Amino acid sequence: MKTLPKQISGANLLIQALKEENVELIFGYPGGAVLPLYDALYDADIVHILARHEQGAIHAAEGFARVSGRVGVVIATSGPGATNVVTGLADAMMDSLPLVVFTGQVATSVIGTDAFQEADVIGITMPVTKHNYQIRNVEDIPQIVKEAFHIASTGRTGPVVVDLPKNMMVELGSMKEKVEVNLPGYQPTYEPNFIQITKLLQAIEVAEKPVVLAGAGVLHADASKEFTEFIKKYNLPVVHTLLGLGGYPANEELFLGMGGMHGTYTANMAMYESDLLINIGARFDDRLTGNLDHFAKNAVVAHIDIDPAEINKVIHTNIPIVGCAKEVLKVLLKQKGGKENHSDWLNLLKNRKEAFPYRFEESDELIKPQTVLSQLHKMTDGNAIISTDVGQHQMWAAQYYPLEKPHKWITSGGLGTMGFGLPAAIGAQFAHPEELVVAIVGDAGFQMTLQELSIMKEHNLPVKVLILNNAALGMVRQWQSAFYNERFSSSLIDCQPDFAKLAEAYGIKGITITKPDLLETQLKEAIEYDGPVLIDCRIHQGEIVTPMVPPGKGIHEMEGVK
């Protein structure tokens, strides 16, 4: 007689499916619609991190995913719980971060009746997710969870939502012996077309002014090793996007710096003057390209990307190569290298790099943010995992904390989400408990998610939170100064908490730095402290980020170049 499979609740089916995906850590916040799932979690061998706000939970999952390469997992309840993760979903979608987010939902019998804490999660999240599901049959749970993780972690990675009606968590179903993914309409291309590879190699051989633009696609593919070998084999200069930083060592001679609005003069002029631009895993964001009428107009453009939708979306592409950066680079490395035809170009770029580094005016009276970050880089040997919020401090960190290793840089690029830095650092610390993690944030963005300090205290996470405090919405103020006749409308923050005392209220060590001559000593004390620390570093309010490509200008029209 055939034995019937054991019947268990949908919540326990979900737990078993998560274990099949080797999930060990979840960030979340409970509520009525997900109580059956949380009851099942009580006995599960999975660590749950209670965020203090759902936005904190999803940003923590993003930080975890960014540095670990694993899928970040989030649970939120129905209604406001689900809507509170939408910002994080949009952020992860823009920056290609693999997440699976489980949202609670009212019972299927009352969906569409405006039941208590009901929200149309599928409709709301469809524009900001790679895919989304709503469970309508308890027996589908194992299959849907398997597919969700597969979609989130393959191709161009991104967030997937699984909406969980409450009755689906209590109804009984059975775990299948083996769950297979069969998605005929979803078949990402990993291997490149060899005809296009040949065209690229021919273009490299004849180019006199080649440059490689590398984005986060190199890092998502874990292809930094292959990328570095490719650059050295063909002796090609490298420009990184903001999100691509760390993909190639910043201390190497061929590295020209970050490109775009606040990039280096050398990097931007290299792209502007190039006759061959090889884009690997970048999406030609507007903050990178500036005015498209002036971007790489004399260049043959090769674009390597796992997402075919990105190719020809912004910039006309002469050599399109659809495929995984790692696999494409492996193929390129197997080919014979051609003759070098660009030694004069490399000499020009070398001279420019020496002549036009990032510069700022030192001060004995004011704490300069550039000095702070240079000191931090020196104290940490450039080995810390750096998470940032969005704004001036983000750009200063990109400029003055050069990255020599991959997977050390976490920042919100596409969406530009204030409040991202602190919870993302927390997620990174959970992913790598043995490493030094520093959250570099502004005083404004920090106040959007500061409640997540509770997680640092609760789990004794040794995250160092460095607030570059200028008592302003720094980048807003900078733009108002430059383009709005210094009419500082709602950008100066006259009422601030004492951040060090705030940290102490959470049971965390707080340090306030106000004097330049004490900066090194106090910063060293904070970095070496065995436990979480908040550093309130008071910087000059009028300091601006330079150089800069003004809005509407080409990347060759930089201001603030000295």
Side-chain angles (χ1 to χ4, degrees), residues 67-118:
V67 298
S68 70
R70 300 176 63 188
V71 176
V73 182
V74 179
I75 301 174
T77 194
S78 64
T83 58
N84 279 342
V85 301
V86 171
T87 297
L89 289 170
D91 191 272
M93 187 68 176
M94 290 281 275
D95 291 351
S96 305
L97 295 173
L99 303 181
V100 173
V101 179
F102 296 96
T103 55
Q105 185 55 274
V106 299
T108 54
S109 60
V110 293
I111 288 177
T113 68
D114 291 330
F116 177 66
Q117 290 194 331
E118 180 186 0

Side-chain angles (χ1 to χ4, degrees), residues 123-183:
I124 292 168
T125 64
M126 190 175 291
V128 292
T129 55
K130 192 174 175 184
H131 196 62
N132 57 20
Y133 294 89
Q134 186 177 80
I135 305 292
R136 285 293 184 141
N137 185 332
V138 68
E139 295 286 350
D140 293 338
I141 290 174
Q143 183 70 40
I144 286 176
V145 171
K146 173 68 75 173
E147 290 180 7
F149 276 81
H150 177 74
I151 293 169
S153 61
T154 55
R156 180 177 179 176
T157 53
V160 176
V161 162
V162 181
D163 199 33
L164 308 171
K166 187 173 183 178
N167 59 311
M168 292 292 107
M169 293 293 93
V170 296
E171 290 184 13
L172 298 180
S174 55
M175 193 72 188
K176 297 178 176 65
E177 287 187 12
K178 192 172 184 181
V179 181
E180 300 283 355
V181 172
N182 182 22
L183 299 170

Side-chain angles (χ1 to χ4, degrees), residues 159-281:
V160 176
V161 162
V162 181
D163 199 33
L164 308 171
K166 187 173 183 178
N167 59 311
M168 292 292 107
M169 293 293 93
V170 296
E171 290 184 13
L172 298 180
S174 55
M175 193 72 188
K176 297 178 176 65
E177 287 187 12
K178 192 172 184 181
V179 181
E180 300 283 355
V181 172
N182 182 22
L183 299 170
Y186 176 70
Q187 300 293 330
T189 300
Y190 280 79
E191 303 293 335
N193 182 309
F194 196 76
I195 293 174
Q196 300 302 98
I197 292 290
T198 302
K199 288 181 180 178
L200 176 56
L201 292 171
Q202 291 171 346
I204 291 173
E205 187 167 323
V206 301
E208 296 181 0
K209 297 180 179 181
V211 64
V212 176
L213 170 66
V218 172
L219 297 165
H220 292 317
D222 198 22
S224 296
K225 177 177 177 292
E226 292 81 3
F227 180 70
T228 300
E229 291 175 5
F230 168 72
I231 293 301
K232 292 185 175 180
K233 178 176 181 177
Y234 294 98
N235 210 23
L236 298 169
V238 178
V239 174
H240 267 316
T241 66
L242 172 68
L243 288 173
L245 292 171
Y248 187 81
N251 59 349
E252 292 280 348
E253 187 174 297
L254 288 168
F255 182 64
L256 305 181
M258 180 176 71
M261 180 172 281
H262 296 294
T264 66
Y265 175 78
T266 306
N268 282 346
M269 290 303 294
M271 291 189 291
Y272 175 69
E273 296 175 349
S274 65
D275 62 4
L276 173 63
L277 179 63
I278 306 171
N279 177 341
I280 306 180

Side-chain angles (χ1 to χ4, degrees), residues 446-465:
F446 171 69
Q447 293 184 77
M448 291 189 173
T449 52
L450 63 82
Q451 70 279 349
E452 305 309 331
L453 289 172
S454 292
I455 301 179
M456 289 167 52
K457 174 60 179 176
E458 181 181 356
H459 297 275
N460 195 32
L461 299 178
V463 174
K464 316 305 178 191
V465 182

Side-chain angles (χ1 to χ4, degrees), residues 24 45 126 165 171 173 200 202 206 230 290-291 305 413 476 519 523:
E24 299 172 351
D45 188 23
M126 190 175 291
E171 290 184 13
L200 176 56
Q202 291 171 346
V206 301
F230 168 72
N291 189 322
D305 206 297
V476 173
L519 171 63
L523 191 57

Side-chain angles (χ1 to χ4, degrees), residues 182-381:
N182 182 22
L183 299 170
Y186 176 70
Q187 300 293 330
T189 300
Y190 280 79
E191 303 293 335
N193 182 309
F194 196 76
I195 293 174
Q196 300 302 98
I197 292 290
T198 302
K199 288 181 180 178
L200 176 56
L201 292 171
Q202 291 171 346
I204 291 173
E205 187 167 323
V206 301
E208 296 181 0
K209 297 180 179 181
V211 64
V212 176
L213 170 66
V218 172
L219 297 165
H220 292 317
D222 198 22
S224 296
K225 177 177 177 292
E226 292 81 3
F227 180 70
T228 300
E229 291 175 5
F230 168 72
I231 293 301
K232 292 185 175 180
K233 178 176 181 177
Y234 294 98
N235 210 23
L236 298 169
V238 178
V239 174
H240 267 316
T241 66
L242 172 68
L243 288 173
L245 292 171
Y248 187 81
N251 59 349
E252 292 280 348
E253 187 174 297
L254 288 168
F255 182 64
L256 305 181
M258 180 176 71
M261 180 172 281
H262 296 294
T264 66
Y265 175 78
T266 306
N268 282 346
M269 290 303 294
M271 291 189 291
Y272 175 69
E273 296 175 349
S274 65
D275 62 4
L276 173 63
L277 179 63
I278 306 171
N279 177 341
I280 306 180
R283 57 183 180 82
F284 287 124
D285 174 72
D286 59 295
R287 285 291 175 99
L288 170 85
T289 63
N291 189 322
L292 291 174
D293 291 338
H294 302 287
F295 184 78
K297 278 303 175 184
N298 298 316
V300 171
V301 176
H303 191 168
I304 299 167
D305 206 297
I306 198 164
D307 184 358
E310 288 298 338
I311 295 175
N312 275 319
K313 185 178 84 174
V314 177
I315 299 293
H316 174 71
T317 302
N318 306 96
I319 307 173
I321 302 178
V322 178
C324 169
K326 193 181 191 79
E327 299 307 317
V328 174
L329 288 165
K330 283 180 179 178
V331 173
L332 287 167
L333 287 169
K334 289 178 182 177
Q335 313 311 310
K336 290 183 179 179
K339 61 182 177 62
E340 184 180 313
N341 197 35
H342 54 271
S343 56
D344 290 345
W345 173 240
L346 292 178
N347 287 331
L348 171 65
L349 296 176
K350 180 182 178 182
N351 291 335
R352 277 187 182 160
K353 188 176 174 182
E354 292 172 356
F356 299 102
Y358 289 124
R359 284 193 176 98
F360 68 99
E361 293 182 8
E362 299 275 6
S363 174
D364 294 328
E365 300 176 357
L366 302 169
I367 297 178
K368 292 297 188 94
Q370 303 92 334
T371 303
V372 177
L373 295 168
S374 297
Q375 288 277 4
L376 178 66
H377 187 271
K378 181 180 178 181
M379 289 176 189
T380 60
D381 294 322

